Amino acid sequence: MKLHFLALLLLFCFHLSGQNPAFDKIDRFLSELNQKHNFSGSVLVSWKGQVFKKGYGLSDREAKTAFTPQTISCIGSVTKQFTGAAILKLEMMGKLKVEDPISKYFPNVPADKQGITLHHLLTHSAGFPGAIGDDYASITTEEFVKMAMDQPLLFSPGKAYEYSNVGYSLLGIILEQVSKEPYEAFLNKYLFKPAGMTQTGYVLPGFKSANVATGYRGERNWGKINEKNWAKDGPYWHLRANGGILSTVEELYKWHQALLGEKILSKEAKAKYYGRHIEEGEGAGSYYGYGWAIFPTPRQTTLIAHNGGNGIYFCDFLRYVDEDLTVILMTNATKREYHQLATQCARTCILPDFVPELKINDPSKAIPVDQSQYDGLIKNFIQTISSGDEKEIRAMIDSLFVPRFKEDFPMEQHLKVLTQLGGEVKNLELATINVHDRGFMINFTGSPLTIEMELDGGKIAGIMVN
């Protein structure tokens, strides 16, 4: 009863202060998510000159510490935008060019990698794989560079897109070499301090442990990311410069504000920073800049965004720069569905009649695939895409996809995506299925991969892979 009264009082105060009604809906949405599903995290929404920020749940369940907008949490791959900005800052200082080949900075670069430039690393178009080691494995700079150079490229530099943490770690190494400063020290001097950010980094802010969110995987205490196996000056190179930075929603908002002017980057540098350099996969419709993804919106505006996470911590950073809307969200106990939260908040602001909602799959309601009414459809789908036979996949699309979904993309794109997915699931064992009102989600034994299908009249109306 006390909590209910407090919520009503807060809503009343918001209205009295002229707060945007969309913020009330966001607050009710996240408060309900906390009550029903133990959501913990913080959000900051800036919309048409007003700012709403609030924390929900606990940043440390054992100590009963509340999660607030000042709680320090891991931002994951949102780190990449700092690496991108730092490289551009060095270019502004005349110390490098993004067109430079990596052979300028590393000796004995193999022949297949001679054509890789800093631009390729920045845009995930160098051909390096996503990762080459565990985030917390101890490794020296020399060992990391050698390991990266020994990797076979997935494609010739500049010919395709493959999201790669490896490329961004190499950028961090180049940054240290060129600037003669440690990675975090350079960011602190040229990015964070000018933006007024004092609680962002790896170790230099001197974070108090009690202020750092503890990570949780389900009910299990995973610990704090900065108390894992790190070097004295931050994570080792499997994580450094591509992820792992700690910050708060308030700090990231300062970063957003600093980027609106030329305090950090010049107009020319920002043109590269937000450039639509390469499509994030054939037909994706979104493009990668230098540490940011660039999306067109249905309103003919631009969304500049990035998220990051490790399956425990998650951060989403949405900047609708043409519409004066920014959403920053963090959680220390993520679920797959939480990746939609920031977008739900943004839609609540943009669409007056929109009511945010999030359907959470209940693992306790999962049933074996062979006991599901969709058993035949699921096994047919998995068997067909795993075959790699385009003729069979095409026939399945014609028979199982509803017309509107089939026509959403060219047949060639359907075939390419499903063939690639088939390669991913070919050696996985079907485990369980979660049924919901729109369809179902397939889970695999020993794999985080899930396939969610939307149904319409017993046929496939949509597929989402996580």
Side-chain angles (χ1 to χ4, degrees):
M1 290 296 292
K2 289 182 179 178
L3 288 175
H4 181 62
F5 174 75
L6 178 59
L8 290 176
L9 180 61
L10 285 171
L11 288 175
F12 178 68
C13 291
F14 287 163
H15 284 307
L16 282 180
S17 65
Q19 181 126 331
N20 193 308
F23 296 164
D24 298 344
K25 288 197 286 185
I26 291 170
D27 186 33
R28 287 195 296 270
F29 168 54
L30 295 177
S31 295
E32 184 177 343
L33 195 65
N34 165 247
Q35 293 161 12
K36 291 184 176 180
H37 299 286
N38 200 27
F39 167 71
S40 54
S42 57
V43 67
L44 185 149
V45 182
S46 175
W47 173 231
K48 293 186 174 179
Q50 292 185 309
V51 176
F52 168 71
K53 56 184 178 180
K54 188 175 177 180
Y56 302 84
L58 300 175
S59 68
D60 187 324
R61 297 175 188 174
E62 290 72 28
K64 307 297 182 186
T65 307
F67 210 119
T68 75
Q70 295 80 42
T71 296
I72 299 153
S73 192
C74 178
I75 66 173
S77 285
V78 174
T79 298
K80 290 180 175 67
Q81 63 194 247
F82 297 131
T83 302
I87 292 295
L88 287 169
K89 176 64 76 172
L90 284 170
E91 185 172 59
M92 289 170 60
M93 296 163 69
K95 295 190 175 185
L96 56 69
K97 294 181 179 179
V98 296
E99 295 84 7
D100 288 344
I102 63 172
S103 57
K104 183 175 179 179
Y105 304 100
F106 300 122
N108 305 315
V109 173
D112 65 327
K113 300 175 180 69
Q114 290 281 337
I116 296 175
T117 65
L118 273 59
H119 172 83
H120 291 140
L121 299 178
L122 287 160
T123 56
H124 301 296
S125 60
F128 283 113
I132 55 175
D134 183 80
D135 281 354
Y136 312 109
S138 304
I139 191 168
T140 66
T141 303
E142 293 75 19
E143 289 170 339
F144 183 87
V145 172
K146 183 179 186 306
M147 185 179 290
M149 295 304 163
D150 286 346
Q151 298 297 312
L153 293 182
L154 302 177
F155 47 80
S156 298
K159 297 300 183 182
Y161 171 92
E162 181 70 25
Y163 190 87
S164 176
N165 289 322
V166 178
Y168 267 76
S169 291
L170 290 174
L171 286 166
I173 293 171
I174 292 169
L175 183 152
E176 291 196 344
Q177 182 187 134
V178 172
S179 69
K180 310 298 183 186
E181 295 187 61
Y183 172 81
E184 184 187 8
F186 185 89
L187 266 59
N188 192 57
K189 181 189 297 186
Y190 293 101
L191 306 184
F192 300 153
K193 282 187 176 178
M197 301 163 70
T198 61
Q199 294 297 295
T200 299
Y202 287 135
V203 300
L204 290 181
F207 299 120
K208 294 181 179 179
S209 183
N211 297 336
V212 177
T214 299
Y216 294 90
R217 188 189 295 277
E219 298 302 315
R220 184 170 66 85
N221 182 320
W222 182 82
K224 301 177 190 290
I225 190 168
N226 60 335
E227 294 177 0
K228 298 296 180 182
N229 183 40
W230 278 19
K232 289 183 179 179
D233 60 346
Y236 293 98
W237 282 112
H238 287 303
L239 184 60
R240 186 179 302 209
N242 73 68
I245 278 183
L246 295 157
S247 190
T248 73
V249 292
E250 291 184 337
E251 290 272 295
L252 291 182
Y253 185 58
K254 291 178 182 178
W255 174 243
H256 158 73
Q257 290 179 304
L259 289 175
L260 295 178
E262 297 185 30
K263 184 183 297 186
I264 307 294
L265 298 176
S266 66
K267 183 178 179 180
E268 294 74 19
K270 286 192 291 184
K272 293 182 179 181
Y273 198 39
Y274 304 136
R276 291 173 169 83
H277 297 298
I278 187 166
E279 195 169 18
E280 294 186 294
E282 187 178 347
S286 60
Y287 293 80
Y288 207 81
Y290 286 176
W292 289 101
I294 319 298
F295 302 82
T297 75
R299 300 172 302 284
Q300 307 304 310
T301 60
T302 298
L303 165 62
I304 301 171
H306 213 290
N307 62 26
N310 62 354
I312 295 151
Y313 296 98
F314 177 70
C315 176
D316 213 350
F317 195 171
L318 310 182
R319 303 171 65 215
Y320 297 82
V321 290
D322 304 324
E323 300 172 272
D324 194 18
L325 172 61
T326 302
V327 180
I328 306 166
L329 183 137
M330 294 180 175
T331 178
N332 61 331
T334 194
K335 299 178 185 288
R336 180 185 60 83
E337 295 89 347
Y338 289 179
H339 292 210
Q340 305 173 37
L341 286 179
T343 301
Q344 290 281 310
C345 293
R347 287 176 179 168
T348 303
C349 293
I350 294 167
L351 306 173
D353 298 326
F354 182 78
V355 177
E357 65 173 344
L358 196 67
K359 296 184 183 297
I360 306 291
N361 283 301
D362 184 352
S364 67
K365 294 181 180 178
I367 59 173
V369 175
D370 58 11
Q371 293 180 22
S372 167
Q373 60 180 308
Y374 305 114
D375 177 48
L377 185 151
I378 292 170
K379 290 183 175 177
N380 181 15
F381 176 81
I382 296 297
Q383 183 177 350
T384 302
I385 66 172
S386 298
S387 73
D389 187 319
E390 288 195 0
K391 185 176 180 180
E392 287 188 17
I393 297 173
R394 185 187 296 267
M396 181 200 68
I397 291 171
D398 287 334
S399 65
L400 294 183
F401 285 20
V402 298
R404 61 179 171 79
F405 180 44
K406 184 167 62 175
E407 294 164 7
D408 275 345
F409 305 98
M411 178 60 75
E412 291 71 23
Q413 187 172 345
H414 278 302
L415 292 171
K416 179 179 179 180
V417 171
L418 291 176
T419 301
Q420 182 177 351
L421 178 59
E424 296 284 341
V425 304
K426 187 173 184 178
N427 297 315
L428 296 180
E429 180 184 350
L430 290 169
T432 59
I433 177 172
N434 289 86
V435 179
H436 52 70
D437 58 355
R438 302 181 314 280
F440 55 84
M441 182 173 71
I442 309 167
N443 308 290
F444 297 87
T445 301
S447 172
L449 178 72
T450 63
I451 300 175
E452 187 164 2
M453 290 191 183
E454 179 184 345
L455 299 182
D456 184 356
K459 290 195 172 187
I460 300 172
I463 299 173
M464 183 167 67
V465 180
N466 294 283

